[in-house]
Coordinates of all heavy atoms in Angstrom, one line a residue:
A246 N 5.9 1.8 1.1 CA 5.5 1.2 2.3 C 4.5 -0.1 1.9 O 3.7 0.0 1.1 CB 4.7 2.1 3.2
A247 N 5.0 -1.2 2.4 CA 4.2 -2.4 2.0 C 2.8 -2.4 2.7 O 1.9 -3.0 2.2 CB 5.0 -3.6 2.6
S248 N 2.7 -1.7 3.8 CA 1.3 -1.7 4.5 C 1.3 -0.3 5.3 O 2.3 0.2 5.7 CB 1.3 -2.9 5.5 OG 0.3 -2.7 6.3
N249 N 0.0 0.1 5.4 CA -0.2 1.3 6.2 C -0.4 1.0 7.7 O -0.6 1.9 8.5 CB -1.4 2.0 5.7 CG -1.2 2.5 4.3 OD1 0.0 2.8 3.9 ND2 -2.2 2.8 3.6
A250 N -0.5 -0.4 8.1 CA -0.8 -0.7 9.4 C 0.3 -0.4 10.4 O 0.0 -0.1 11.5 CB -1.3 -2.2 9.5
G251 N 1.5 -0.5 10.0 CA 2.5 -0.5 10.9 C 3.0 0.9 11.2 O 2.7 1.8 10.6
L252 N 3.9 1.1 12.3 CA 4.5 2.4 12.6 C 5.4 2.8 11.4 O 5.5 4.0 11.0 CB 5.2 2.3 13.9 CG 6.3 3.5 14.1 CD1 5.3 4.7 14.5 CD2 7.2 3.2 15.2
D253 N 6.2 1.9 10.9 CA 7.3 2.3 10.1 C 7.1 1.8 8.6 O 6.4 0.8 8.4 CB 8.6 1.7 10.7 CG 8.6 0.3 10.8 OD1 7.5 -0.4 11.2 OD2 9.6 -0.4 10.7
A254 N 7.8 2.4 7.7 CA 8.0 1.8 6.4 C 8.9 0.7 6.4 O 10.0 0.9 6.7 CB 8.3 3.0 5.4
S255 N 8.4 -0.5 6.1 CA 9.2 -1.7 6.3 C 10.5 -1.6 5.4 O 10.4 -1.4 4.1 CB 8.4 -2.9 5.9 OG 9.3 -4.1 5.9
P256 N 11.7 -2.0 5.9 CA 12.9 -2.1 4.9 C 12.6 -3.2 4.0 O 13.4 -3.4 2.9 CB 14.0 -2.4 5.9 CG 13.3 -3.0 7.2 CD 12.0 -2.3 7.3
N257 N 11.7 -4.1 4.2 CA 11.4 -5.1 3.2 C 10.3 -4.9 2.1 O 9.9 -5.8 1.5 CB 11.0 -6.4 3.9 CG 12.1 -7.0 4.9 OD1 13.3 -6.8 4.6 ND2 11.7 -7.3 6.1
A258 N 9.9 -3.6 2.2 CA 8.9 -3.2 1.1 C 9.5 -3.5 -0.3 O 10.6 -3.2 -0.6 CB 8.6 -1.8 1.3
S259 N 8.5 -4.0 -1.1 CA 9.1 -4.3 -2.5 C 9.1 -3.1 -3.3 O 8.6 -2.1 -3.0 CB 8.1 -5.2 -3.1 OG 6.7 -4.6 -3.3
P260 N 10.0 -3.0 -4.4 CA 10.2 -1.8 -5.2 C 8.8 -1.3 -5.8 O 8.7 -0.1 -6.1 CB 11.0 -2.2 -6.2 CG 11.8 -3.4 -5.7 CD 10.9 -4.2 -4.8
D261 N 8.0 -2.2 -6.0 CA 6.7 -1.7 -6.6 C 5.5 -1.5 -5.5 O 4.3 -1.3 -5.8 CB 6.1 -2.7 -7.6 CG 5.9 -4.2 -7.0 OD1 6.3 -4.4 -5.8 OD2 5.3 -5.0 -7.7
A262 N 6.0 -1.5 -4.2 CA 5.0 -1.0 -3.2 C 4.4 0.3 -3.4 O 5.1 1.2 -4.0 CB 5.6 -1.2 -1.8
A263 N 3.3 0.6 -3.0 CA 2.6 1.8 -3.1 C 3.3 3.0 -2.5 O 3.9 2.8 -1.4 CB 1.1 1.8 -2.6
A264 N 3.5 4.1 -3.2 CA 4.2 5.3 -2.6 C 3.2 5.9 -1.7 O 2.0 6.1 -1.9 CB 4.6 6.1 -3.7
Q265 N 3.8 6.4 -0.6 CA 3.0 7.1 0.4 C 3.7 8.5 0.8 O 5.0 8.4 0.9 CB 2.7 6.3 1.6 CG 1.8 7.0 2.6 CD 1.3 5.9 3.5 OE1 1.5 4.6 3.5 NE2 0.4 6.4 4.5
T266 N 3.0 9.5 1.1 CA 3.6 10.7 1.3 C 3.1 11.3 2.7 O 1.8 11.3 2.8 CB 3.3 11.8 0.3 OG1 3.9 11.4 -0.9 CG2 3.9 13.2 0.7
V267 N 3.9 11.7 3.6 CA 3.5 12.3 4.9 C 4.3 13.6 5.1 O 5.4 13.7 4.8 CB 3.8 11.3 6.1 CG1 2.9 10.1 6.0 CG2 5.3 10.9 6.0
T268 N 3.6 14.4 5.8 CA 4.2 15.7 6.0 C 4.2 16.1 7.5 O 3.1 15.7 8.2 CB 3.4 16.9 5.3 OG1 3.5 16.6 3.9 CG2 4.0 18.3 5.7
G269 N 5.2 16.6 8.1 CA 5.3 17.0 9.4 C 6.6 17.4 9.9 O 7.4 17.8 9.1
R270 N 6.9 17.3 11.1 CA 8.2 17.7 11.6 C 9.1 16.5 11.9 O 8.6 15.5 12.4 CB 8.3 18.5 12.9 CG 7.6 17.9 14.1 CD 7.4 18.7 15.2 NE 6.6 18.1 16.4 CZ 6.2 18.9 17.4 NH1 6.4 20.1 17.5 NH2 5.5 18.2 18.4

């Protein structure tokens, strides 16, 4: 994800963007 601010993980996120992990349903 390029940013944590948005609802979604942007499809334009760069390959070296920080990895993020979320858990839920």
Side-chain angles (χ1 to χ4, degrees):
S248 169
N249 293 338
L252 167 69
D253 55 328
S255 170
N257 299 318
S259 63
D261 57 351
Q265 187 162 355
T266 298
V267 294
T268 297
R270 61 182 173 192

